[in-house]
Amino acid sequence: MNALRSPLRRDPVLAMIGLVVLAASVTAATDTGQVINAVTWPTLTALCGVAALNGFRIRRNPHNTTVERRMWGSVSLATTIFLVSDIWQFAMFLRAPESTASALGGPVYSVGVLAGTLCMVVALLAMPLRLGTRHERVRFLLDAATVLVFAATLGCYFTATAGEAGIAGAGRIFSLLLGPAIYMVAVFALIKLLLMPVKPFTPLAGTLMSLSAAFEGAATGFRPWLVAQGHIPWQQGATIIAVAALAAAARVEHLRTRSGRPNPSQSSRRPYSLLPYAAVAGTFALLIGVLAVDGWQRPTWIVVAGSAISSALVVARQLVAFADNAHLLELLDAKVAELHMSLAARDRLAAELEHLAFHDTLTGLANRAFFQRHLDDHGGRRAVLLIDLDGFKPINDNYGHAAGDAVLVSVAARLRAFAGPGDLVARLGGDEFAVLTAGPLTAAEAQTLAVALATEIRQPMTIRGCEIRVGASVGVATGRDGQSGAELLHDADTAMYRQKADNRHRYGQLGVDLSEVASSGEPLRT
């Protein structure tokens, strides 16, 4: 939008529109009726011509979106209708410049204004609001209804209290019946322009169109009151400013589309609008002002009814908001519960994966990786007992791996039962096991523990209905300060192989074959 500032400042059409607005404001403020009567209709004719021409150019620009071309085409059509009615009324003014009807507009002018306004409101009604959910549409309708109630209250009160002063014939009927309706249409246009999230015009053009709707609403809605109070120049000045703002909006949008610049992205819409609350405050302010100035009169009931209806609509809007908040809280709770479940499942999966990574799937003992890591972290002066089963291979060869697995599970259970509190028992692989003691041991204590452990493993075990024995070669190593876990495990491994060689020599002299199935003498049933 910054790039448009220089062309806007240099544009002669916008400069002339600005001068017209300044002149109309000064003339209307000073209530110089004769001056403004002479310039109202030619000025309105020129301004409507500018708006119609620029709207038509925007409508013909193929680079604009469908919504932009449709809306500005409707603006061009409406201002063309205004242009025709203004030319007609200018001719009537030249014939009878002193009459009130010439200054305010006759029946033909009134019909033209009504037709052009209807054209505009139909375009606005057809314009997509792009409200995604049903709740958003309900909120918009309640907000719009609240502001419209305030506008209706304001217009009806001043219309009812204006009387018939200065208005006669068809002009009087139009002012009392169609005036408030057109005023409400203009207010609705302003509401939609302010509340719609995505707009088919630049922010500057939207501001000018909102200004146009506001002044047109004031000029038409308060027309009976202004006439009754003798402020006809105010009504004429407001009409000129309204049309000038519309012409300026069309010109600004045409300059933007002609330059090929895209429509600046709209700022994100707030989840709430202050407009309906301002309308409620305005209604109650009107009620207080009416009671303070005129006291309680029959038209005061209009303001009271408007206050009650607008308050009820705001309460309904709040109830909808509360329902939306409750729904959002339910969704949030569901998401939080789902997240907790996901985190719990993740934690369970992580624990399972960690257990699988560091534990033997057959026996449930720690595996070599976990034992080595624990040994590196907590070795020190502790003792390591490395166990290798004697006579295990013939069991696998003769009776199958299922019997061998059962022997390994039984040995693991005996190691768990034998180990003390804090001792770590692991299966390093195959038929090789290890124990890391919880505290330091002397060499003699560790050796005594190894003998007791080997004796425990050699006890008969029942495998699938038969008793079977396996031997155990246990190597012992006691740690010392500064010794690494790998060195300690290597020392235990060396001691274990010495023990295995000694067992073979000793049991070979005794004639004991540890690979034989003993005790029952019955073969394992497969």
Side-chain angles (χ1 to χ4, degrees), residues 261-516:
R261 295 182 178 90
N263 189 358
S265 58
Q266 303 294 328
S267 58
S268 58
R269 185 172 183 258
R270 295 178 299 180
Y272 62 91
S273 173
L274 298 178
L275 195 60
Y277 302 99
V280 173
T283 306
F284 279 98
L286 175 63
L287 178 60
I288 294 172
V290 168
L291 292 175
V293 174
D294 298 329
W296 189 274
Q297 299 179 5
R298 184 174 300 175
T300 309
W301 284 105
I302 297 175
V303 185
V304 173
S307 301
I309 295 173
S310 61
S311 299
L313 288 172
V314 168
V315 170
R317 173 66 170 82
Q318 291 303 113
L319 292 176
V320 171
F322 291 153
D324 289 346
N325 292 340
H327 180 63
L328 289 176
L329 287 176
E330 291 177 358
L331 292 178
L332 180 60
D333 290 341
K335 290 294 183 183
V336 170
E338 183 180 348
L339 178 60
H340 285 168
M341 293 178 62
S342 300
L343 292 175
R346 185 202 65 182
D347 293 341
R348 286 195 301 270
L349 179 60
E352 292 174 1
L353 292 175
E354 183 179 13
H355 187 274
L356 291 174
F358 295 109
H359 289 79
D360 177 50
T361 56
L362 176 63
T363 63
L365 298 178
N367 62 11
R368 178 181 287 274
F370 186 83
F371 184 83
Q372 186 67 57
R373 187 175 69 175
H374 195 78
L375 184 62
D376 292 337
D377 294 338
H378 307 287
R381 299 182 60 84
R382 297 184 183 187
V384 172
L385 285 72
L386 195 61
I387 304 107
D388 187 79
L389 300 183
D390 298 329
F392 178 75
K393 186 175 184 299
I395 295 174
N396 268 337
D397 294 341
N398 297 328
Y399 304 107
H401 290 283
D405 289 346
V407 170
L408 294 175
V409 171
S410 180
V411 170
R414 291 183 179 186
L415 289 175
R416 284 197 194 93
F418 183 85
D423 291 350
L424 176 62
V425 182
R427 180 190 177 200
L428 303 186
D431 60 344
E432 190 175 45
F433 297 84
V435 177
L436 176 64
T437 61
L441 296 177
T442 64
E445 291 172 337
Q447 190 63 43
T448 301
L449 185 63
V451 172
L453 180 58
T455 302
E456 178 67 23
I457 293 175
R458 290 193 186 100
Q459 297 301 315
M461 63 185 71
T462 301
I463 302 298
R464 299 168 66 183
C466 296
E467 286 187 353
I468 188 170
R469 289 189 181 92
V470 290
S473 298
V474 182
V476 178
T478 54
R480 60 185 182 274
D481 292 337
Q483 187 178 24
S484 67
E487 292 174 340
L488 183 59
L489 188 60
H490 178 269
D491 291 346
D493 188 61
T494 302
M496 184 269 293
Y497 276 105
R498 286 200 304 265
Q499 183 64 38
K500 181 175 283 290
D502 184 60
N503 284 346
R504 285 175 182 166
H505 177 71
R506 183 151 45 102
Y507 287 114
Q509 289 178 338
L510 294 174
V512 177
D513 185 359
L514 296 176
S515 66
E516 292 182 356

Side-chain angles (χ1 to χ4, degrees), residues 74-119:
S74 300
V75 170
S76 177
L77 177 60
T79 49
T80 300
I81 297 174
F82 295 154
L83 174 62
V84 173
S85 63
D86 289 338
I87 293 174
W88 176 273
Q89 188 59 38
F90 185 35
M92 295 297 101
F93 174 77
L94 293 177
R95 291 178 56 185
E98 301 298 329
S99 67
T100 303
S102 298
L104 295 176
V108 175
Y109 171 77
S110 300
V111 171
V113 170
L114 178 62
T117 304
L118 289 177
C119 178

Side-chain angles (χ1 to χ4, degrees), residues 48-83:
C48 287
V50 171
L53 178 61
N54 285 277
F56 177 75
R57 289 173 174 174
I58 299 171
R59 174 69 178 82
R60 292 293 303 272
N61 192 328
H63 300 292
N64 295 330
T65 65
T66 302
V67 175
E68 290 173 337
R69 288 188 282 114
R70 183 184 299 137
M71 180 201 163
W72 289 102
S74 300
V75 170
S76 177
L77 177 60
T79 49
T80 300
I81 297 174
F82 295 154
L83 174 62

